[in-house]
PDB file of all heavy atoms in Angstrom:
ATOM      1  N   PRO A 947      20.537 -75.729  75.000  1.00 99.00           N
ATOM      2  CA  PRO A 947      20.931 -74.631  75.882  1.00 99.00           C
ATOM      3  C   PRO A 947      20.316 -73.323  75.360  1.00 99.00           C
ATOM      4  O   PRO A 947      20.407 -73.016  74.175  1.00 99.00           O
ATOM      5  CB  PRO A 947      22.471 -74.591  75.749  1.00 99.00           C
ATOM      6  CG  PRO A 947      22.844 -75.922  75.122  1.00 99.00           C
ATOM      7  CD  PRO A 947      21.684 -76.292  74.262  1.00 99.00           C
ATOM      8  N   GLY A 948      19.654 -72.584  76.242  1.00 98.00           N
ATOM      9  CA  GLY A 948      18.921 -71.381  75.800  1.00 98.00           C
ATOM     10  C   GLY A 948      17.526 -71.725  75.319  1.00 98.00           C
ATOM     11  O   GLY A 948      16.861 -70.910  74.678  1.00 98.00           O
ATOM     12  N   GLY A 949      17.051 -72.921  75.690  1.00 98.00           N
ATOM     13  CA  GLY A 949      15.757 -73.411  75.195  1.00 98.00           C
ATOM     14  C   GLY A 949      14.548 -72.744  75.821  1.00 98.00           C
ATOM     15  O   GLY A 949      13.430 -72.973  75.366  1.00 98.00           O
ATOM     16  N   ALA A 950      14.755 -71.915  76.871  1.00 98.00           N
ATOM     17  CA  ALA A 950      13.613 -71.184  77.440  1.00 98.00           C
ATOM     18  C   ALA A 950      13.408 -69.850  76.724  1.00 98.00           C
ATOM     19  O   ALA A 950      12.438 -69.142  76.982  1.00 98.00           O
ATOM     20  CB  ALA A 950      13.840 -70.945  78.928  1.00 98.00           C
ATOM     21  N   GLY A 951      14.333 -69.498  75.835  1.00 98.00           N
ATOM     22  CA  GLY A 951      14.265 -68.210  75.139  1.00 98.00           C
ATOM     23  C   GLY A 951      13.303 -68.239  73.960  1.00 98.00           C
ATOM     24  O   GLY A 951      12.590 -69.229  73.735  1.00 98.00           O
ATOM     25  N   TYR A 952      13.312 -67.147  73.228  1.00 98.00           N
ATOM     26  CA  TYR A 952      12.335 -66.950  72.144  1.00 98.00           C
ATOM     27  C   TYR A 952      12.465 -68.026  71.051  1.00 98.00           C
ATOM     28  O   TYR A 952      11.543 -68.817  70.826  1.00 98.00           O
ATOM     29  CB  TYR A 952      12.556 -65.540  71.584  1.00 98.00           C
ATOM     30  CG  TYR A 952      11.764 -65.190  70.349  1.00 98.00           C
ATOM     31  CD1 TYR A 952      10.398 -65.466  70.259  1.00 98.00           C
ATOM     32  CD2 TYR A 952      12.394 -64.554  69.274  1.00 98.00           C
ATOM     33  CE1 TYR A 952       9.674 -65.118  69.124  1.00 98.00           C
ATOM     34  CE2 TYR A 952      11.677 -64.201  68.142  1.00 98.00           C
ATOM     35  CZ  TYR A 952      10.324 -64.488  68.072  1.00 98.00           C
ATOM     36  OH  TYR A 952       9.622 -64.147  66.944  1.00 98.00           O
ATOM     37  N   ILE A 953      13.609 -68.095  70.404  1.00 98.00           N
ATOM     38  CA  ILE A 953      13.753 -69.056  69.287  1.00 98.00           C
ATOM     39  C   ILE A 953      13.863 -70.476  69.845  1.00 98.00           C
ATOM     40  O   ILE A 953      13.298 -71.429  69.297  1.00 98.00           O
ATOM     41  CB  ILE A 953      14.976 -68.706  68.414  1.00 98.00           C
ATOM     42  CG1 ILE A 953      14.867 -67.257  67.912  1.00 98.00           C
ATOM     43  CG2 ILE A 953      15.078 -69.657  67.228  1.00 98.00           C
ATOM     44  CD1 ILE A 953      16.119 -66.732  67.231  1.00 98.00           C
ATOM     45  N   GLY A 954      14.571 -70.610  70.987  1.00 98.00           N
ATOM     46  CA  GLY A 954      14.751 -71.931  71.588  1.00 98.00           C
ATOM     47  C   GLY A 954      13.419 -72.593  71.917  1.00 98.00           C
ATOM     48  O   GLY A 954      13.208 -73.774  71.606  1.00 98.00           O
ATOM     49  N   VAL A 971      18.402 -76.453  78.921  1.00 98.00           N
ATOM     50  CA  VAL A 971      19.241 -75.755  79.909  1.00 98.00           C
ATOM     51  C   VAL A 971      19.050 -74.263  79.698  1.00 98.00           C
ATOM     52  O   VAL A 971      19.056 -73.792  78.551  1.00 98.00           O
ATOM     53  CB  VAL A 971      20.745 -76.094  79.695  1.00 98.00           C
ATOM     54  CG1 VAL A 971      21.634 -75.170  80.532  1.00 98.00           C
ATOM     55  CG2 VAL A 971      21.028 -77.545  80.054  1.00 98.00           C
ATOM     56  N   ASP A 972      18.860 -73.516  80.770  1.00 98.00           N
ATOM     57  CA  ASP A 972      18.782 -72.048  80.647  1.00 98.00           C
ATOM     58  C   ASP A 972      19.070 -71.451  82.014  1.00 98.00           C
ATOM     59  O   ASP A 972      18.812 -72.090  83.043  1.00 98.00           O
ATOM     60  CB  ASP A 972      17.371 -71.631  80.182  1.00 98.00           C
ATOM     61  CG  ASP A 972      17.369 -70.315  79.418  1.00 98.00           C
ATOM     62  OD1 ASP A 972      17.692 -69.265  80.039  1.00 98.00           O
ATOM     63  OD2 ASP A 972      17.058 -70.321  78.221  1.00 98.00           O
ATOM     64  N   ASN A 973      19.598 -70.221  82.029  1.00 98.00           N
ATOM     65  CA  ASN A 973      19.807 -69.549  83.318  1.00 98.00           C
ATOM     66  C   ASN A 973      18.761 -68.457  83.547  1.00 98.00           C
ATOM     67  O   ASN A 973      18.869 -67.696  84.500  1.00 98.00           O
ATOM     68  CB  ASN A 973      21.227 -68.961  83.421  1.00 98.00           C
ATOM     69  CG  ASN A 973      21.475 -67.886  82.385  1.00 98.00           C
ATOM     70  OD1 ASN A 973      20.625 -67.612  81.531  1.00 98.00           O
ATOM     71  ND2 ASN A 973      22.649 -67.253  82.443  1.00 98.00           N
ATOM     72  N   PHE A 974      17.759 -68.395  82.664  1.00 98.00           N
ATOM     73  CA  PHE A 974      16.667 -67.407  82.750  1.00 98.00           C
ATOM     74  C   PHE A 974      17.183 -65.970  82.773  1.00 98.00           C
ATOM     75  O   PHE A 974      16.527 -65.095  83.321  1.00 98.00           O
ATOM     76  CB  PHE A 974      15.776 -67.661  83.981  1.00 98.00           C
ATOM     77  CG  PHE A 974      15.031 -68.958  83.922  1.00 98.00           C
ATOM     78  CD1 PHE A 974      15.034 -69.827  85.007  1.00 98.00           C
ATOM     79  CD2 PHE A 974      14.315 -69.323  82.789  1.00 98.00           C
ATOM     80  CE1 PHE A 974      14.340 -71.032  84.959  1.00 98.00           C
ATOM     81  CE2 PHE A 974      13.619 -70.529  82.730  1.00 98.00           C
ATOM     82  CZ  PHE A 974      13.634 -71.385  83.819  1.00 98.00           C
ATOM     83  N   TYR A 975      18.352 -65.741  82.186  1.00 97.00           N
ATOM     84  CA  TYR A 975      18.850 -64.358  82.118  1.00 97.00           C
ATOM     85  C   TYR A 975      17.883 -63.520  81.285  1.00 97.00           C
ATOM     86  O   TYR A 975      17.618 -62.365  81.594  1.00 97.00           O
ATOM     87  CB  TYR A 975      20.252 -64.348  81.490  1.00 97.00           C
ATOM     88  CG  TYR A 975      20.798 -62.943  81.343  1.00 97.00           C
ATOM     89  CD1 TYR A 975      21.482 -62.332  82.398  1.00 97.00           C
ATOM     90  CD2 TYR A 975      20.599 -62.208  80.168  1.00 97.00           C
ATOM     91  CE1 TYR A 975      21.958 -61.041  82.280  1.00 97.00           C
ATOM     92  CE2 TYR A 975      21.069 -60.912  80.050  1.00 97.00           C
ATOM     93  CZ  TYR A 975      21.749 -60.328  81.111  1.00 97.00           C
ATOM     94  OH  TYR A 975      22.207 -59.057  80.996  1.00 97.00           O
ATOM     95  N   ASN A 976      17.366 -64.106  80.213  1.00 96.00           N
ATOM     96  CA  ASN A 976      16.459 -63.356  79.333  1.00 96.00           C
ATOM     97  C   ASN A 976      15.185 -64.152  79.044  1.00 96.00           C
ATOM     98  O   ASN A 976      14.643 -64.083  77.944  1.00 96.00           O
ATOM     99  CB  ASN A 976      17.181 -63.014  78.024  1.00 96.00           C
ATOM    100  CG  ASN A 976      16.482 -61.905  77.266  1.00 96.00           C
ATOM    101  OD1 ASN A 976      15.923 -60.986  77.880  1.00 96.00           O
ATOM    102  ND2 ASN A 976      16.474 -61.985  75.948  1.00 96.00           N
ATOM    103  N   SER A 977      14.740 -64.918  80.040  1.00 97.00           N
ATOM    104  CA  SER A 977      13.512 -65.706  79.853  1.00 97.00           C
ATOM    105  C   SER A 977      12.960 -66.020  81.231  1.00 97.00           C
ATOM    106  O   SER A 977      13.582 -65.678  82.242  1.00 97.00           O
ATOM    107  CB  SER A 977      13.827 -66.995  79.087  1.00 97.00           C
ATOM    108  OG  SER A 977      14.917 -67.665  79.690  1.00 97.00           O
ATOM    109  N   ILE A 998      20.876 -73.683  84.746  1.00 98.00           N
ATOM    110  CA  ILE A 998      22.346 -73.663  84.808  1.00 98.00           C
ATOM    111  C   ILE A 998      22.859 -72.567  83.887  1.00 98.00           C
ATOM    112  O   ILE A 998      22.311 -72.351  82.798  1.00 98.00           O
ATOM    113  CB  ILE A 998      22.911 -75.038  84.353  1.00 98.00           C
ATOM    114  CG1 ILE A 998      22.679 -76.099  85.439  1.00 98.00           C
ATOM    115  CG2 ILE A 998      24.401 -74.965  84.009  1.00 98.00           C
ATOM    116  CD1 ILE A 998      23.142 -77.488  85.045  1.00 98.00           C
ATOM    117  N   ASP A 999      23.898 -71.872  84.328  1.00 98.00           N
ATOM    118  CA  ASP A 999      24.606 -70.945  83.456  1.00 98.00           C
ATOM    119  C   ASP A 999      25.652 -71.764  82.687  1.00 98.00           C
ATOM    120  O   ASP A 999      26.513 -72.405  83.310  1.00 98.00           O
ATOM    121  CB  ASP A 999      25.284 -69.865  84.319  1.00 98.00           C
ATOM    122  CG  ASP A 999      25.923 -68.779  83.475  1.00 98.00           C
ATOM    123  OD1 ASP A 999      26.338 -69.074  82.331  1.00 98.00           O
ATOM    124  OD2 ASP A 999      26.016 -67.643  83.963  1.00 98.00           O
ATOM    125  N   CYS A1000      25.576 -71.749  81.368  1.00 98.00           N
ATOM    126  CA  CYS A1000      26.515 -72.562  80.565  1.00 98.00           C
ATOM    127  C   CYS A1000      27.958 -72.112  80.758  1.00 98.00           C
ATOM    128  O   CYS A1000      28.891 -72.817  80.357  1.00 98.00           O
ATOM    129  CB  CYS A1000      26.158 -72.507  79.084  1.00 98.00           C
ATOM    130  SG  CYS A1000      24.550 -73.189  78.731  1.00 98.00           S
ATOM    131  N   CYS A1001      28.157 -70.928  81.354  1.00 98.00           N
ATOM    132  CA  CYS A1001      29.528 -70.491  81.631  1.00 98.00           C
ATOM    133  C   CYS A1001      30.118 -71.277  82.805  1.00 98.00           C
ATOM    134  O   CYS A1001      31.325 -71.219  83.042  1.00 98.00           O
ATOM    135  CB  CYS A1001      29.566 -68.987  81.927  1.00 98.00           C
ATOM    136  SG  CYS A1001      29.099 -68.028  80.484  1.00 98.00           S
ATOM    137  N   HIS A1020      22.509 -74.964  70.114  1.00 98.00           N
ATOM    138  CA  HIS A1020      23.005 -74.001  71.104  1.00 98.00           C
ATOM    139  C   HIS A1020      22.441 -72.588  70.854  1.00 98.00           C
ATOM    140  O   HIS A1020      22.822 -71.917  69.902  1.00 98.00           O
ATOM    141  CB  HIS A1020      24.538 -73.955  71.050  1.00 98.00           C
ATOM    142  CG  HIS A1020      25.121 -73.073  72.103  1.00 98.00           C
ATOM    143  ND1 HIS A1020      25.383 -73.514  73.386  1.00 98.00           N
ATOM    144  CD2 HIS A1020      25.459 -71.773  72.093  1.00 98.00           C
ATOM    145  CE1 HIS A1020      25.874 -72.528  74.103  1.00 98.00           C
ATOM    146  NE2 HIS A1020      25.932 -71.456  73.335  1.00 98.00           N
ATOM    147  N   PHE A1021      21.539 -72.158  71.764  1.00 98.00           N
ATOM    148  CA  PHE A1021      20.951 -70.807  71.674  1.00 98.00           C
ATOM    149  C   PHE A1021      21.434 -69.897  72.798  1.00 98.00           C
ATOM    150  O   PHE A1021      21.040 -68.732  72.835  1.00 98.00           O
ATOM    151  CB  PHE A1021      19.422 -70.882  71.821  1.00 98.00           C
ATOM    152  CG  PHE A1021      18.698 -71.604  70.722  1.00 98.00           C
ATOM    153  CD1 PHE A1021      18.215 -72.893  70.914  1.00 98.00           C
ATOM    154  CD2 PHE A1021      18.472 -70.992  69.507  1.00 98.00           C
ATOM    155  CE1 PHE A1021      17.523 -73.551  69.914  1.00 98.00           C
ATOM    156  CE2 PHE A1021      17.781 -71.644  68.502  1.00 98.00           C
ATOM    157  CZ  PHE A1021      17.305 -72.925  68.698  1.00 98.00           C
ATOM    158  N   ALA A1022      22.201 -70.444  73.756  1.00 98.00           N
ATOM    159  CA  ALA A1022      22.476 -69.706  74.997  1.00 98.00           C
ATOM    160  C   ALA A1022      23.480 -68.580  74.789  1.00 98.00           C
ATOM    161  O   ALA A1022      24.688 -68.766  74.931  1.00 98.00           O
ATOM    162  CB  ALA A1022      22.968 -70.674  76.070  1.00 98.00           C
ATOM    163  N   GLY A1023      22.944 -67.409  74.456  1.00 98.00           N
ATOM    164  CA  GLY A1023      23.792 -66.235  74.259  1.00 98.00           C
ATOM    165  C   GLY A1023      22.995 -64.971  74.512  1.00 98.00           C
ATOM    166  O   GLY A1023      21.760 -65.009  74.589  1.00 98.00           O
ATOM    167  N   LEU A1024      23.720 -63.863  74.641  1.00 98.00           N
ATOM    168  CA  LEU A1024      23.078 -62.553  74.770  1.00 98.00           C
ATOM    169  C   LEU A1024      22.970 -61.959  73.367  1.00 98.00           C
ATOM    170  O   LEU A1024      23.868 -62.148  72.551  1.00 98.00           O
ATOM    171  CB  LEU A1024      23.907 -61.639  75.676  1.00 98.00           C
ATOM    172  CG  LEU A1024      24.243 -62.212  77.062  1.00 98.00           C
ATOM    173  CD1 LEU A1024      25.083 -61.225  77.861  1.00 98.00           C
ATOM    174  CD2 LEU A1024      22.960 -62.560  77.813  1.00 98.00           C
ATOM    175  N   LYS A1025      21.903 -61.185  73.119  1.00 96.00           N
ATOM    176  CA  LYS A1025      21.644 -60.830  71.722  1.00 96.00           C
ATOM    177  C   LYS A1025      21.281 -59.371  71.444  1.00 96.00           C
ATOM    178  O   LYS A1025      20.924 -59.032  70.324  1.00 96.00           O
ATOM    179  CB  LYS A1025      20.514 -61.698  71.207  1.00 96.00           C
ATOM    180  CG  LYS A1025      19.210 -61.467  71.963  1.00 96.00           C
ATOM    181  CD  LYS A1025      17.993 -61.880  71.180  1.00 96.00           C
ATOM    182  CE  LYS A1025      16.731 -61.573  71.941  1.00 96.00           C
ATOM    183  NZ  LYS A1025      15.523 -61.875  71.242  1.00 96.00           N
ATOM    184  N   ASN A1040      30.196 -64.002  78.012  1.00 98.00           N
ATOM    185  CA  ASN A1040      29.045 -64.917  78.063  1.00 98.00           C
ATOM    186  C   ASN A1040      28.936 -65.748  76.773  1.00 98.00           C
ATOM    187  O   ASN A1040      28.844 -66.976  76.825  1.00 98.00           O
ATOM    188  CB  ASN A1040      27.752 -64.137  78.283  1.00 98.00           C
ATOM    189  CG  ASN A1040      26.564 -65.079  78.486  1.00 98.00           C
ATOM    190  OD1 ASN A1040      26.427 -65.715  79.532  1.00 98.00           O
ATOM    191  ND2 ASN A1040      25.738 -65.227  77.470  1.00 98.00           N
ATOM    192  N   SER A1044      30.083 -69.622  77.100  1.00 98.00           N
ATOM    193  CA  SER A1044      28.924 -70.528  77.055  1.00 98.00           C
ATOM    194  C   SER A1044      29.080 -71.522  75.897  1.00 98.00           C
ATOM    195  O   SER A1044      28.868 -72.726  76.042  1.00 98.00           O
ATOM    196  CB  SER A1044      27.675 -69.654  76.901  1.00 98.00           C
ATOM    197  OG  SER A1044      26.622 -70.351  76.348  1.00 98.00           O
ATOM    198  N   SER A1063      23.310 -71.175  66.541  1.00 98.00           N
ATOM    199  CA  SER A1063      22.508 -69.989  66.175  1.00 98.00           C
ATOM    200  C   SER A1063      23.413 -68.881  65.711  1.00 98.00           C
ATOM    201  O   SER A1063      23.821 -68.041  66.512  1.00 98.00           O
ATOM    202  CB  SER A1063      21.852 -69.401  67.427  1.00 98.00           C
ATOM    203  OG  SER A1063      20.875 -70.183  67.957  1.00 98.00           O
ATOM    204  N   SER A1064      23.707 -68.832  64.421  1.00 98.00           N
ATOM    205  CA  SER A1064      24.444 -67.671  63.942  1.00 98.00           C
ATOM    206  C   SER A1064      23.437 -66.666  63.383  1.00 98.00           C
ATOM    207  O   SER A1064      22.224 -66.790  63.627  1.00 98.00           O
ATOM    208  CB  SER A1064      25.494 -68.086  62.909  1.00 98.00           C
ATOM    209  OG  SER A1064      26.340 -66.990  62.648  1.00 98.00           O
ATOM    210  N   SER A1065      23.934 -65.699  62.657  1.00 98.00           N
ATOM    211  CA  SER A1065      23.058 -64.583  62.283  1.00 98.00           C
ATOM    212  C   SER A1065      23.519 -63.973  60.976  1.00 98.00           C
ATOM    213  O   SER A1065      24.716 -63.989  60.653  1.00 98.00           O
ATOM    214  CB  SER A1065      23.162 -63.536  63.394  1.00 98.00           C
ATOM    215  OG  SER A1065      22.614 -62.321  62.972  1.00 98.00           O
ATOM    216  N   ALA A1066      22.572 -63.379  60.273  1.00 97.00           N
ATOM    217  CA  ALA A1066      22.909 -62.641  59.054  1.00 97.00           C
ATOM    218  C   ALA A1066      23.845 -61.477  59.362  1.00 97.00           C
ATOM    219  O   ALA A1066      24.459 -60.915  58.452  1.00 97.00           O
ATOM    220  CB  ALA A1066      21.631 -62.117  58.407  1.00 97.00           C
ATOM    221  N   TYR A1090      28.236 -57.792  69.559  1.00 96.00           N
ATOM    222  CA  TYR A1090      27.335 -58.956  69.405  1.00 96.00           C
ATOM    223  C   TYR A1090      27.629 -59.670  68.081  1.00 96.00           C
ATOM    224  O   TYR A1090      27.809 -60.889  68.038  1.00 96.00           O
ATOM    225  CB  TYR A1090      25.866 -58.497  69.464  1.00 96.00           C
ATOM    226  CG  TYR A1090      24.918 -59.531  68.920  1.00 96.00           C
ATOM    227  CD1 TYR A1090      24.607 -60.676  69.660  1.00 96.00           C
ATOM    228  CD2 TYR A1090      24.340 -59.401  67.640  1.00 96.00           C
ATOM    229  CE1 TYR A1090      23.753 -61.647  69.152  1.00 96.00           C
ATOM    230  CE2 TYR A1090      23.488 -60.364  67.132  1.00 96.00           C
ATOM    231  CZ  TYR A1090      23.198 -61.482  67.887  1.00 96.00           C
ATOM    232  OH  TYR A1090      22.360 -62.447  67.380  1.00 96.00           O
ATOM    233  N   LYS A1094      29.279 -63.681  67.006  1.00 98.00           N
ATOM    234  CA  LYS A1094      28.779 -64.687  66.057  1.00 98.00           C
ATOM    235  C   LYS A1094      29.885 -65.066  65.072  1.00 98.00           C
ATOM    236  O   LYS A1094      30.102 -66.231  64.757  1.00 98.00           O
ATOM    237  CB  LYS A1094      27.562 -64.143  65.293  1.00 98.00           C
ATOM    238  CG  LYS A1094      26.355 -63.869  66.157  1.00 98.00           C
ATOM    239  CD  LYS A1094      25.796 -65.157  66.745  1.00 98.00           C
ATOM    240  CE  LYS A1094      24.663 -64.926  67.711  1.00 98.00           C
ATOM    241  NZ  LYS A1094      24.385 -66.055  68.578  1.00 98.00           N
ATOM    242  N   TYR A1118      20.437 -66.923  60.826  1.00 98.00           N
ATOM    243  CA  TYR A1118      19.052 -66.452  60.790  1.00 98.00           C
ATOM    244  C   TYR A1118      19.004 -65.044  60.247  1.00 98.00           C
ATOM    245  O   TYR A1118      19.860 -64.217  60.573  1.00 98.00           O
ATOM    246  CB  TYR A1118      18.418 -66.374  62.183  1.00 98.00           C
ATOM    247  CG  TYR A1118      18.654 -67.505  63.122  1.00 98.00           C
ATOM    248  CD1 TYR A1118      18.643 -67.259  64.494  1.00 98.00           C
ATOM    249  CD2 TYR A1118      18.846 -68.811  62.685  1.00 98.00           C
ATOM    250  CE1 TYR A1118      18.832 -68.282  65.405  1.00 98.00           C
ATOM    251  CE2 TYR A1118      19.034 -69.836  63.590  1.00 98.00           C
ATOM    252  CZ  TYR A1118      19.045 -69.566  64.939  1.00 98.00           C
ATOM    253  OH  TYR A1118      19.241 -70.572  65.854  1.00 98.00           O
ATOM    254  N   PHE A1119      17.940 -64.746  59.518  1.00 98.00           N
ATOM    255  CA  PHE A1119      17.677 -63.357  59.148  1.00 98.00           C
ATOM    256  C   PHE A1119      16.844 -62.728  60.285  1.00 98.00           C
ATOM    257  O   PHE A1119      17.321 -62.741  61.412  1.00 98.00           O
ATOM    258  CB  PHE A1119      17.135 -63.283  57.718  1.00 98.00           C
ATOM    259  CG  PHE A1119      18.320 -63.395  56.761  1.00 98.00           C
ATOM    260  CD1 PHE A1119      19.038 -64.588  56.647  1.00 98.00           C
ATOM    261  CD2 PHE A1119      18.801 -62.285  56.091  1.00 98.00           C
ATOM    262  CE1 PHE A1119      20.193 -64.677  55.872  1.00 98.00           C
ATOM    263  CE2 PHE A1119      19.943 -62.361  55.293  1.00 98.00           C
ATOM    264  CZ  PHE A1119      20.639 -63.549  55.193  1.00 98.00           C
ATOM    265  N   ASN A1120      15.669 -62.190  60.066  1.00 98.00           N
ATOM    266  CA  ASN A1120      14.991 -61.505  61.185  1.00 98.00           C
ATOM    267  C   ASN A1120      13.823 -62.331  61.722  1.00 98.00           C
ATOM    268  O   ASN A1120      12.726 -62.268  61.167  1.00 98.00           O
ATOM    269  CB  ASN A1120      14.514 -60.117  60.741  1.00 98.00           C
ATOM    270  CG  ASN A1120      15.659 -59.144  60.546  1.00 98.00           C
ATOM    271  OD1 ASN A1120      16.597 -59.423  59.798  1.00 98.00           O
ATOM    272  ND2 ASN A1120      15.606 -58.022  61.215  1.00 98.00           N
ATOM    273  N   PRO A1121      14.045 -63.079  62.804  1.00 98.00           N
ATOM    274  CA  PRO A1121      12.976 -63.925  63.349  1.00 98.00           C
ATOM    275  C   PRO A1121      11.890 -63.076  64.018  1.00 98.00           C
ATOM    276  O   PRO A1121      12.199 -62.224  64.851  1.00 98.00           O
ATOM    277  CB  PRO A1121      13.689 -64.756  64.426  1.00 98.00           C
ATOM    278  CG  PRO A1121      15.150 -64.499  64.254  1.00 98.00           C
ATOM    279  CD  PRO A1121      15.296 -63.191  63.580  1.00 98.00           C
ATOM    280  N   GLU A1132       7.866 -63.650  71.669  1.00 97.00           N
ATOM    281  CA  GLU A1132       9.040 -62.858  72.082  1.00 97.00           C
ATOM    282  C   GLU A1132       8.660 -61.968  73.259  1.00 97.00           C
ATOM    283  O   GLU A1132       7.677 -61.234  73.192  1.00 97.00           O
ATOM    284  CB  GLU A1132       9.542 -62.016  70.896  1.00 97.00           C
ATOM    285  CG  GLU A1132      10.887 -61.397  71.184  1.00 97.00           C
ATOM    286  CD  GLU A1132      11.575 -60.832  69.945  1.00 97.00           C
ATOM    287  OE1 GLU A1132      10.924 -60.739  68.891  1.00 97.00           O
ATOM    288  OE2 GLU A1132      12.752 -60.473  70.059  1.00 97.00           O
TER     289      GLU A1132
HETATM  290  P1  NAD B  69      16.668 -65.125  73.809  1.00 89.04           P
HETATM  291  O1  NAD B  69      17.395 -64.155  74.651  1.00 89.04           O
HETATM  292  O2  NAD B  69      15.179 -65.106  73.858  1.00 89.04           O
HETATM  293  O3  NAD B  69      17.150 -66.624  74.140  1.00 89.04           O
HETATM  294  C1  NAD B  69      18.432 -66.923  74.608  1.00 89.04           C
HETATM  295  C2  NAD B  69      18.270 -67.750  75.873  1.00 89.04           C
HETATM  296  O4  NAD B  69      19.576 -68.112  76.331  1.00 89.04           O
HETATM  297  C3  NAD B  69      17.593 -66.975  77.006  1.00 89.04           C
HETATM  298  O5  NAD B  69      16.552 -67.762  77.566  1.00 89.04           O
HETATM  299  C4  NAD B  69      18.718 -66.732  78.013  1.00 89.04           C
HETATM  300  O6  NAD B  69      18.219 -66.699  79.337  1.00 89.04           O
HETATM  301  C5  NAD B  69      19.628 -67.911  77.735  1.00 89.04           C
HETATM  302  N1  NAD B  69      21.042 -67.687  78.072  1.00 89.04           N
HETATM  303  C6  NAD B  69      21.848 -66.664  77.707  1.00 89.04           C
HETATM  304  N2  NAD B  69      23.094 -66.857  78.191  1.00 89.04           N
HETATM  305  C7  NAD B  69      23.070 -68.036  78.860  1.00 89.04           C
HETATM  306  C8  NAD B  69      24.035 -68.777  79.585  1.00 89.04           C
HETATM  307  N3  NAD B  69      25.275 -68.332  79.734  1.00 89.04           N
HETATM  308  N4  NAD B  69      23.656 -69.949  80.139  1.00 89.04           N
HETATM  309  C9  NAD B  69      22.396 -70.422  80.016  1.00 89.04           C
HETATM  310  N5  NAD B  69      21.430 -69.753  79.351  1.00 89.04           N
HETATM  311  C10 NAD B  69      21.768 -68.573  78.784  1.00 89.04           C
HETATM  312  O7  NAD B  69      17.179 -64.931  72.313  1.00 89.04           O
HETATM  313  P2  NAD B  69      16.648 -65.564  70.959  1.00 89.04           P
HETATM  314  O8  NAD B  69      16.063 -64.482  70.135  1.00 89.04           O
HETATM  315  O9  NAD B  69      15.849 -66.769  71.243  1.00 89.04           O
HETATM  316  O10 NAD B  69      18.027 -65.958  70.295  1.00 89.04           O
HETATM  317  C11 NAD B  69      18.602 -67.239  70.468  1.00 89.04           C
HETATM  318  C12 NAD B  69      19.943 -67.277  69.777  1.00 89.04           C
HETATM  319  O11 NAD B  69      19.763 -66.931  68.406  1.00 89.04           O
HETATM  320  C13 NAD B  69      20.938 -66.271  70.343  1.00 89.04           C
HETATM  321  O12 NAD B  69      22.224 -66.844  70.344  1.00 89.04           O
HETATM  322  C14 NAD B  69      20.872 -65.125  69.362  1.00 89.04           C
HETATM  323  O13 NAD B  69      22.066 -64.412  69.313  1.00 89.04           O
HETATM  324  C15 NAD B  69      20.625 -65.878  68.042  1.00 89.04           C
HETATM  325  N6  NAD B  69      19.991 -65.006  67.039  1.00 89.04           N
HETATM  326  C16 NAD B  69      18.868 -64.309  67.358  1.00 89.04           C
HETATM  327  C17 NAD B  69      18.304 -63.454  66.405  1.00 89.04           C
HETATM  328  C18 NAD B  69      17.080 -62.638  66.747  1.00 89.04           C
HETATM  329  O14 NAD B  69      16.849 -61.643  66.063  1.00 89.04           O
HETATM  330  N7  NAD B  69      16.272 -63.029  67.734  1.00 89.04           N
HETATM  331  C19 NAD B  69      18.879 -63.332  65.143  1.00 89.04           C
HETATM  332  C20 NAD B  69      20.015 -64.084  64.845  1.00 89.04           C
HETATM  333  C21 NAD B  69      20.573 -64.929  65.815  1.00 89.04           C
END
Side-chain angles (χ1 to χ4, degrees):
Y952 173 47
I953 304 171
V971 169
D972 207 295
N973 63 356
F974 295 131
Y975 178 86
N976 198 35
S977 50
I998 286 177
D999 186 331
C1000 297
C1001 295
H1020 184 86
F1021 295 104
L1024 306 179
K1025 62 158 183 177
N1040 186 73
S1044 157
S1063 291
S1064 190
S1065 166
Y1090 163 75
K1094 295 294 175 198
Y1118 317 152
F1119 280 68
N1120 289 55
E1132 191 166 11

